[in-house]
Amino acid sequence: MNKFLITLGSLAVIATAQSCKMKNADSVVSGDAAAKVYVAPGKYDEFYNFVSGGFSGNVTVYGLPSGRLLKTIPVFSVYPENGYGYSEETKPMLNTSNGPVAWDDQHHLELSQTDGKQDGRWLFANANNTPRVARIDLTTFRTAQILQIPNSAGNHSSPFTTENTEYVVAGTRFSVPLGDTDVPISSFKKNFRSTASFIKVDKTTGKMSMAFQIVLPGMNLDLSHAGKGPSHDWFFFSCYNTEQAYTMLEVNASQKDKDFIVAVNWKKAEEYANSGKGHKMPASYAHNTYDETAHTAKSVIEKEVLVLDPKDCPDMVYMIPCPKSPHGADVDPTGEYIVGSGKLAALIPVFSFEKITKAIQDKQFEGNFYDIPVIKYEAALHGEVKKPGLGPLHTEFDGRGNAYTSMFLSSEVVKWRLSDLQVLDRAPTYYSVGHLMIPGGDTKNPAGKYLVAYNKITKDRYLPTGPELCQSAQLYDISGDKMQLLLDFPTAGEPHYGQACPAALIKDKQVKFYDITKNKNEFLTLGEKKANVIRKGNRVDVYMTAIRSHLVPDNIEGVYVGDDVYFHVTNLEQDWDIPHGFAVKNSSAVDLLIMPGETQTIKFTAQKQGIYPFYCTDFCSALHQEMSGYLRVSPTGSNVPLKFGTNVIAPDPTAVAGTK
Ligand code: RUQ
Ligand code: CUA
């Protein structure tokens, strides 16, 4: 209880300190800041910055240093702007073993790596709420795959990757009973477990598949990072709540002085998995893939998972004591130093991989935690950063021997040296920084030019917008000895982690349009002559084409109330940046945004009789406003015949202008 009060006390002190900072905020931006972030019209940014969307469930892409928003990539949440999650083709992407889940809480991102360096192929994203991991293809900036994680809850320590993207990990923030068993919450110690899942990534295609899960004691796995270089075979997870509380964690999970960094030898785990040391457990989890030729997603429910128990697998898992409720677990570019950031600790411990290895060899253990050996703190420790600030959360590296840690409570970024652990510089953030990010700052070769702080609170930083204020990022120049604040830019949703890479790594690999001759969509309409409307029972399939500036067919009659009408729209264009949109009046399925060469489908259920205009929603040409048509919906049981076409329905000779 005491510790809790101290934390609240220090919060009050910080609040006062912050109000002083607020007044001085303008003066911290020095003369050449504007020039450093100015990207002239028509010029490109130097870096792509991918930012997690938090409770928006999606990922946003910014340019650095300008902070300009380039794109929102829909991942775990439906996205009306382009029909993701609404079109028949993309609906299966959001399927889970519990049916469709069209929202999530997206925290962390990781770019794929080869030899510890960014390779610009894929971006991985975690879903915290309904445990899932997504892979985004960086040639299309689209979600290519989503894998649900069984035996998991609060998939937070995810989706970090090993040095050659052999595996992507997923660790549980909330322990749960395995196999969704029904047990009393008070049986936490006995029945609840955390799991660290290892997802295999195919070297060529990027396809993810569940390789194995390591079962760990009931506690909260928070964050993780893979080793590199000498520590290549290892993965490091931070954990809190080793008190194993299941109520009022705020107090009950902050009792112990130290929790752990969990060191997992994934190479050993892989050997154990391959040699039959694990056991297969029934499970049920969705595996969703988007096929770029069929332009369609498929969802398959997987039925089992391979589980490894550290009891049966010696030398696979070790615990390293770490003060106090650690959050970030970050590995420096050399792979030698592991930084554990204790949210409630007054120092930052830095562990040495060499010492950890030696401690294991010499069996310098101080006991066990659920049969897992606990290495002696001092035996693993390189040293401690003293008085770094309050509330350390995350650390990134500049590749020049320096580390940068975000301080949530004292609202600052602190720069310190890995070799002698001396604090070198501190820069205020506005306010309450969570993650920070240096392009490549968690890889072997950071581009140590910029640092971005992702802040939780913005109060007086922007024009006020009612009770809800934006969250924001701040860009710092870190190329000199002192950090220099350059820019504030608002973000979408709540940014947690981000990734950034040099633009050159991906900008020339972009798909410009889809080759229509390779379109394998079941409902492709290859040319206007193939346009068609087919009725089967009360299902009506409309095979429609879109090209500047008309839709074929654009007049449809003979549809009745209660029919399910499927508009399959093929964009016939074969040119970059010419998508067409498609929307029908009163449709609950929002709109489609169809890329050139692609086919997408919207389902429309006619509820009432009447005339329903449909039109292209993307201003595609000078005659975009003309790109529209009419659907006639007649009462159920009427005898209006099926008729459709563009410029083919003859005028009704019995109609008198203005009177019919
Ligand atoms: S978290 S603010 Cu969800 Cu990565 Cu640390
Ligand atoms: Cu097509 Cu506007």
Side-chain angles (χ1 to χ4, degrees):
M1 196 66 192
N2 260 348
K3 302 259 164 48
F4 178 53
L5 291 176
I6 290 168
T7 313
L8 285 182
S10 42
L11 272 171
V13 173
I14 289 143
T16 327
Q18 261 184 12
S19 45
C20 304
K21 268 186 223 152
M22 284 182 193
K23 285 176 204 129
N24 297 328
D26 292 341
S27 60
V28 294
V29 180
S30 56
D32 59 346
K36 284 186 176 172
V37 299
Y38 183 67
V39 178
K43 292 279 184 260
Y44 290 155
D45 275 291
E46 194 182 341
F47 293 94
Y48 283 102
N49 181 195
F50 302 93
V51 182
S52 69
F55 42 71
S56 86
N58 292 331
V59 172
T60 43
V61 188
Y62 297 82
L64 294 180
S66 73
R68 298 183 294 193
L69 174 64
L70 305 175
K71 191 177 179 61
T72 299
I73 306 174
V75 185
F76 299 111
S77 295
V78 289
Y79 195 57
E81 189 177 311
N82 65 4
Y84 179 83
Y86 294 97
S87 70
E88 295 304 302
E89 282 81 358
T90 55
K91 272 183 188 169
M93 289 303 280
L94 301 177
N95 192 37
T96 74
S97 54
N98 292 316
V101 177
W103 169 87
D104 222 297
D105 185 15
Q106 201 284 297
H107 284 218
H108 305 122
L109 297 171
E110 180 104 297
L111 286 161
S112 57
Q113 299 177 17
T114 301
D115 189 27
K117 297 176 193 125
Q118 297 170 332
D119 58 22
R121 305 214 285 164
W122 308 299
L123 176 70
F124 298 95
N126 78 318
N128 193 47
N129 184 52
T130 299
R132 288 174 281 181
V133 170
R135 178 172 55 87
I136 295 159
D137 184 329
L138 292 177
T139 64
T140 57
F141 281 55
R142 283 179 162 195
T143 304
Q145 195 184 2
I146 293 182
L147 183 66
Q148 193 185 355
I149 317 293
N151 295 325
S152 177
N155 175 37
H156 196 256
S157 37
S158 177
F160 302 99
T161 72
T162 54
E163 250 188 294
N164 294 298
T165 321
E166 294 97 334
Y167 292 98
V168 170
V169 300
T172 50
R173 185 162 115 212
F174 308 123
S175 284
V176 283
L178 302 188
D180 301 315
T181 41
D182 175 31
V183 297
I185 298 171
S186 59
S187 70
F188 185 102
K189 282 191 188 180
K190 182 167 167 239
N191 291 319
F192 287 40
R193 295 289 176 270
S194 55
T195 57
S197 303
F198 284 74
I199 300 162
K200 183 107 201 123
V201 179
D202 184 273
K203 261 194 169 43
T204 332
T205 61
K207 276 229 169 159
M208 305 185 288
S209 55
M210 182 60 70
F212 53 84
Q213 289 192 310
I214 299 176
V215 180
L216 295 165
M219 57 188 184
N220 297 42
L221 291 173
D222 206 9
L223 278 142
S224 61
H225 263 107
K228 35 178 105 78
S231 54
H232 170 81
D233 296 356
W234 293 77
F235 228 104
F236 304 95
F237 294 84
S238 61
C239 70
Y240 64 103
N241 191 23
T242 51
E243 294 87 348
Q244 303 191 297
Y246 50 86
T247 179
M248 198 57 191
L249 266 64
E250 183 179 33
V251 176
N252 295 332
S254 307
Q255 297 300 310
K256 290 192 185 171
D257 279 340
K258 291 193 178 71
D259 294 283
F260 300 116
I261 298 285
V262 187
V264 174
N265 187 327
W266 61 263
K267 270 274 178 189
K268 273 254 156 75
E270 188 179 58
E271 283 165 26
Y272 285 130
N274 292 340
S275 63
K277 277 278 163 149
H279 73 275
K280 289 204 174 133
M281 203 187 141
S284 175
Y285 55 104
H287 185 172
N288 311 333
T289 356
Y290 194 80
D291 180 330
E292 282 289 344
T293 5
H295 302 284
T296 303
K298 265 205 190 87
S299 177
V300 173
I301 301 291
E302 307 277 1
K303 289 290 177 216
E304 54 177 29
V305 61
L306 182 67
V307 170
L308 294 174
D309 189 330
K311 278 198 202 84
D312 311 325
C313 307
D315 302 326
M316 180 174 74
V317 186
Y318 295 91
M319 301 289 202
I320 306 163
C322 184
K324 162 144 206 160
S325 302
H327 190 55
D330 300 295
V331 182
D332 89 305
T334 68
E336 165 62 10
Y337 299 116
I338 299 107
V339 182
S341 301
K343 307 187 284 276
L344 305 177
L347 51 83
I348 305 172
V350 182
F351 301 99
S352 149
F353 182 70
E354 209 183 306
K355 287 195 171 175
I356 293 170
T357 317
K358 182 141 196 319
I360 293 172
Q361 269 166 14
D362 302 351
K363 301 209 177 328
Q364 297 195 57
F365 303 134
E366 59 173 48
N368 288 311
F369 186 70
Y370 282 78
D371 297 324
I372 299 168
V374 178
I375 298 172
K376 283 189 180 138
Y377 177 66
E378 284 75 19
L381 192 70
H382 161 59
E384 293 167 341
V385 184
K386 307 282 189 206
K387 299 219 172 97
L390 293 172
L393 289 185
H394 299 279
T395 302
E396 292 255 303
F397 308 90
D398 65 6
R400 298 185 293 270
N402 303 311
Y404 301 74
T405 303
S406 55
M407 300 288 170
F408 179 77
L409 290 175
S410 52
S411 228
E412 58 186 339
V413 174
V414 174
K415 174 182 178 182
W416 50 276
R417 195 157 42 216
L418 281 158
S419 57
D420 61 6
L421 307 170
Q422 290 307 302
V423 171
L424 303 173
D425 189 24
R426 45 182 81 236
T429 60
Y430 304 94
Y431 307 92
S432 304
V433 57
H435 276 272
L436 46 67
M437 186 279 311
I438 292 171
D442 65 341
T443 70
K444 262 185 182 166
N445 72 329
K449 183 171 177 184
Y450 299 115
L451 178 148
V452 184
Y454 299 104
N455 302 324
K456 306 295 188 191
I457 294 171
T458 52
K459 283 218 174 19
D460 56 358
R461 302 297 289 180
Y462 300 95
L463 284 174
T465 51
E468 192 196 357
L469 301 173
C470 64
Q471 270 113 6
S472 120
Q474 289 192 293
L475 181 73
Y476 297 81
D477 179 347
I478 55 162
S479 58
D481 286 344
K482 295 279 166 199
M483 292 176 268
Q484 183 194 9
L485 176 61
L486 301 178
L487 182 73
D488 281 15
F489 59 98
T491 54
E494 185 194 1
H496 288 256
Y497 195 33
Q499 291 271 279
C501 68
L505 203 56
I506 47 185
K507 86 170 175 16
D508 300 325
K509 305 198 294 200
Q510 297 310 300
V511 168
K512 297 199 164 85
F513 56 85
Y514 297 99
D515 182 346
I516 199 163
T517 63
K518 298 203 174 115
N519 183 328
K520 296 261 150 45
N521 189 290
E522 201 188 334
F523 301 100
L524 161 74
T525 309
L526 196 56
E528 294 179 356
K529 292 207 174 85
K530 298 267 171 65
N532 204 353
V533 180
I534 298 171
R535 170 183 288 281
K536 261 191 212 131
N538 72 338
R539 175 182 168 125
V540 178
D541 285 288
V542 179
Y543 292 76
M544 184 180 276
T545 62
I547 194 163
R548 281 163 289 180
S549 300
H550 56 275
L551 298 159
V552 178
D554 70 358
N555 280 201
I556 303 167
E557 298 190 349
V559 167
Y560 309 130
V561 171
D563 284 346
D564 287 330
V565 185
Y566 291 83
F567 288 95
H568 311 287
V569 188
T570 298
N571 179 346
L572 297 178
E573 310 275 356
Q574 291 287 272
D575 197 358
W576 196 18
D577 203 14
I578 312 288
H580 291 289
F582 183 79
V584 187
K585 186 189 169 190
N586 293 355
S587 162
S588 58
V590 299
D591 82 330
L592 300 172
L593 193 65
I594 313 131
M595 296 304 125
E598 193 180 43
T599 305
Q600 291 285 290
T601 301
I602 201 173
K603 182 186 170 193
F604 172 77
T605 304
Q607 310 270 12
K608 290 180 184 160
Q609 71 175 61
I611 297 292
Y612 292 79
F614 50 82
Y615 70 105
C616 168
T617 51
D618 187 327
F619 207 108
C620 51
S621 72
L623 295 173
H624 154 81
Q625 292 295 79
E626 282 70 12
M627 198 165 175
S628 62
Y630 289 111
L631 167 72
R632 173 181 173 189
V633 176
S634 305
T636 320
S638 61
N639 59 0
V640 177
L642 190 66
K643 272 204 284 190
F644 60 91
T646 294
N647 202 19
V648 293
I649 297 185
D652 181 347
T654 64
V656 179
T659 59
K660 186 166 186 201

